[in-house]
Amino acid sequence: MSELRELYQQVILDHNKAPRNFREMDEANHKADGHNPLCGDELTVFLLVDGDLIEDIAFQGHGCAISKASASMMTANLKGKTRAEAEAMFEDVHNMLTGKGEPDGERLGRLTALAGVRDFPTRVKCATLAWHTMKGALEGDPEVVFSE
Ligand code: ZN
């Protein structure tokens, strides 16, 4: 395993073991459930949005290490961002995970730890679930279900 690969692995393991913002949020004004039947990942994403600003974001649920780490990293990255920034980051992450173009390392920061997932096509949906669910929540779509 390369050094970089090992670092990626560590970031994912760390977020899985100690997920950030892993809680229910009663005051949330946007919320959606995401389900990836391929793997059994189930997440709920909560957002507190004030005007254009994501004041708070949290998630709950259960799933594999990749789905949980991705959700954890997502919440850590989107807190305090605008809707437009969240949408742009969704695009970046989606492109990175589906192998469309090179990820913008500067903008994505530690999220690039997820890039290795694209070598495992069956796990890509694990990593994108939280992001699609977040987008659904922002757009008023309360349920995001991936097809098998
Ligand atoms: Zn999974």
Side-chain angles (χ1 to χ4, degrees):
M1 200 187 277
S2 75
E3 233 170 82
L4 200 61
R5 209 51 188 271
E6 213 163 295
L7 176 75
Y8 286 173
Q9 197 90 359
Q10 274 178 17
V11 172
I12 289 173
L13 288 176
D14 170 55
H15 275 270
N16 180 52
K17 215 167 82 184
R20 320 299 194 262
N21 307 297
F22 188 68
R23 60 188 158 83
E24 271 187 62
M25 198 204 296
D26 289 338
E27 66 275 27
N29 51 16
H30 293 264
K31 178 184 149 181
D33 295 316
H35 186 199
N36 173 22
L38 268 172
C39 176
D41 309 314
E42 285 186 56
L43 299 172
T44 303
V45 174
F46 304 88
L47 290 140
L48 179 63
V49 182
D50 183 17
D52 199 35
L53 192 74
I54 297 171
E55 284 207 330
D56 202 4
I57 175 168
F59 80 104
Q60 274 270 287
H62 56 88
C64 65
I66 291 170
S67 68
K68 225 165 154 182
S70 182
S72 170
M73 279 190 248
M74 178 185 80
T75 60
N77 272 274
L78 294 186
K79 201 180 278 194
K81 296 282 198 310
T82 64
R83 273 171 182 264
E85 285 169 329
E87 301 251 330
M89 203 169 267
F90 170 90
E91 289 297 325
D92 277 348
V93 169
H94 198 263
N95 288 344
M96 172 177 78
L97 291 171
T98 53
K100 286 184 201 137
E102 273 307 300
D104 182 338
E106 209 169 307
R107 190 152 56 165
L108 286 173
R110 299 201 107 191
L111 283 169
T112 51
L114 293 169
V117 172
R118 66 181 165 193
D119 297 333
F120 306 92
T122 56
R123 313 311 299 276
V124 168
K125 284 183 173 170
C126 299
T128 58
L129 181 65
W131 294 85
H132 281 281
T133 308
M134 174 278 294
K135 200 159 182 263
L138 277 181
E139 291 170 357
D141 182 1
E143 203 169 2
V144 176
V145 181
F146 286 156
S147 52
E148 293 204 41

